[in-house]
Amino acid sequence: MERIGDDMMFEEILSRLPAKVVCQFKCVCKQWCYELSTPKFVLIHTRRVSNLLQKKLLSLNENTIVVDDIVYGNLEVDTRKVVTFPYDVEPSFLIIIGSFNGLILLCIRRTDANELVLWNPTTRWFKLISDDYFSHYFGRHDDTGGMYVDEHNDLKVLHINCFTGAVTARVYSRHNDSWRKLSFLKGCLFGSNFYSWSHGIYSGKTIYFTVSNYWIPPGECNIVAFDVISESFSILRFPERIQAPWHCCSIF
């Protein structure tokens, strides 16, 4: 054990174990409990878990939260488990904003103030990250976000809010435990009630959002891209659709 060293033990060996086993190892001693709970270990462990062929699907039902295993793309119904949310709140009051490497970003809708929570259903780790800014009503199509890890291995949470016609973008740093406002696209009308935002999709150091207008003009679609390196936004236009006679269409 002395020859292996703590870094090798925690970062290369224990980080490859299932989350349930990691939780059991926290009971070995106080040092192990501390080392297995650090943000660095959690980040390494979630990255290794995300590369496994076995995934998990979390569903919010009216009264329960269910987790199913997905193995090689197939849903394993026999492994279904009911999990408990760390706060005393009905699942119908929860909104899933996004997920990243085993972490889930949820919003708790309350009558007085909404709350934003980071939660790992497997390890049962959670953290309340909302501040006074979340005191107004949270809407399914008005607020969205995503998560990513920057070049310093700091977990970041991107939150986009559309309120009274304006778009406000903020980013949370887990290392600093604080929020910071970002500059959004000038002159765009994506904060209007006519537009609907999708959840963020992380791919290639970029988080993508589809922003659709169902009113005036109907059918307008845009892609808003957030570069996690420069922390800047840009707009990608959907390609023009080609109108073809129905009798010329075929699949081959």
Side-chain angles (χ1 to χ4, degrees), residues 4-62:
I4 294 178
D6 291 342
D7 292 341
M8 177 66 70
M9 172 62 67
F10 294 107
E11 298 178 12
E12 296 297 333
I13 299 178
L14 297 183
S15 63
R16 302 178 186 273
L17 298 176
K20 186 176 181 179
V21 179
V22 172
C23 291
Q24 294 174 349
F25 273 118
K26 289 184 179 181
C27 301
V28 173
C29 62
K30 292 183 178 180
Q31 179 188 359
W32 280 42
C33 182
Y34 171 79
E35 295 292 344
L36 297 177
S37 303
T38 61
K40 182 179 181 181
F41 177 84
V42 173
L43 178 62
I44 296 175
H45 184 261
T46 52
R47 283 181 172 177
R48 297 193 189 281
V49 172
S50 64
N51 294 328
L52 298 178
L53 295 177
Q54 179 175 335
K55 306 294 182 179
K56 293 186 179 296
L57 174 66
L58 185 139
S59 304
L60 299 178
N61 300 325
E62 185 176 355

Side-chain angles (χ1 to χ4, degrees), residues 133 136-137 141-143 160-169 184-197 211:
Y133 178 81
H136 61 77
Y137 182 77
H141 302 295
D142 299 331
D143 289 47
I160 298 176
N161 171 253
C162 301
F163 190 66
T164 63
V167 178
T168 302
F184 192 70
L185 302 169
K186 295 182 179 180
C188 71
L189 303 177
F190 294 157
S192 169
N193 293 331
F194 295 147
Y195 288 92
S196 175
W197 286 70
V211 185

Side-chain angles (χ1 to χ4, degrees), residues 1-251:
M1 291 290 293
E2 294 179 355
R3 294 181 180 180
I4 294 178
D6 291 342
D7 292 341
M8 177 66 70
M9 172 62 67
F10 294 107
E11 298 178 12
E12 296 297 333
I13 299 178
L14 297 183
S15 63
R16 302 178 186 273
L17 298 176
K20 186 176 181 179
V21 179
V22 172
C23 291
Q24 294 174 349
F25 273 118
K26 289 184 179 181
C27 301
V28 173
C29 62
K30 292 183 178 180
Q31 179 188 359
W32 280 42
C33 182
Y34 171 79
E35 295 292 344
L36 297 177
S37 303
T38 61
K40 182 179 181 181
F41 177 84
V42 173
L43 178 62
I44 296 175
H45 184 261
T46 52
R47 283 181 172 177
R48 297 193 189 281
V49 172
S50 64
N51 294 328
L52 298 178
L53 295 177
Q54 179 175 335
K55 306 294 182 179
K56 293 186 179 296
L57 174 66
L58 185 139
S59 304
L60 299 178
N61 300 325
E62 185 176 355
N63 299 315
T64 58
I65 303 177
V66 178
V67 175
D68 295 302
D69 290 336
I70 300 178
V71 182
Y72 293 98
N74 297 319
L75 184 64
E76 301 290 331
V77 183
D78 296 337
T79 61
R80 175 168 297 180
K81 297 180 181 179
V82 177
V83 296
T84 303
F85 191 64
Y87 291 92
D88 185 15
V89 59
E90 293 293 332
S92 57
F93 290 93
L94 299 176
I95 298 177
I96 299 177
I97 302 179
S99 62
F100 182 78
N101 288 348
L103 292 176
I104 299 180
L105 181 64
L106 301 102
C107 174
I108 305 176
R109 294 186 298 175
R110 301 186 185 276
T111 55
D112 51 350
N114 295 287
E115 297 175 329
L116 207 60
V117 179
L118 276 175
W119 180 39
N120 189 325
T122 304
T123 63
R124 299 180 183 180
W125 175 89
F126 67 94
K127 182 175 179 60
L128 182 68
I129 63 173
S130 54
D131 54 9
D132 296 338
Y133 178 81
F134 294 86
S135 59
H136 61 77
Y137 182 77
F138 183 100
R140 286 180 182 271
H141 302 295
D142 299 331
D143 289 47
T144 185
M147 292 179 282
Y148 61 97
V149 176
D150 64 10
E151 63 273 17
H152 303 294
N153 284 332
D154 184 15
L155 177 66
K156 299 288 188 67
V157 175
L158 173 67
H159 178 255
I160 298 176
N161 171 253
C162 301
F163 190 66
T164 63
V167 178
T168 302
R170 304 167 76 229
V171 63
Y172 169 84
S173 168
R174 183 180 176 186
H175 177 73
N176 299 324
D177 193 21
S178 61
W179 288 88
R180 176 169 50 89
K181 188 175 181 180
L182 302 176
S183 298
F184 192 70
L185 302 169
K186 295 182 179 180
C188 71
L189 303 177
F190 294 157
S192 169
N193 293 331
F194 295 147
Y195 288 92
S196 175
W197 286 70
S198 71
H199 296 303
I201 303 297
Y202 182 88
S203 177
K205 302 298 181 181
T206 304
I207 302 178
Y208 297 94
F209 304 89
T210 57
V211 185
S212 305
N213 189 334
Y214 297 105
W215 296 91
I216 303 175
E220 176 195 351
C221 293
N222 304 274
I223 299 178
V224 174
F226 176 74
D227 189 309
V228 302
I229 303 300
S230 61
E231 293 187 337
S232 59
F233 293 90
S234 61
I235 300 178
L236 306 177
R237 300 294 180 182
F238 272 93
E240 295 292 336
R241 291 178 294 180
I242 300 176
Q243 299 293 336
W246 65 269
H247 58 271
C248 292
C249 298
S250 63
I251 300 176

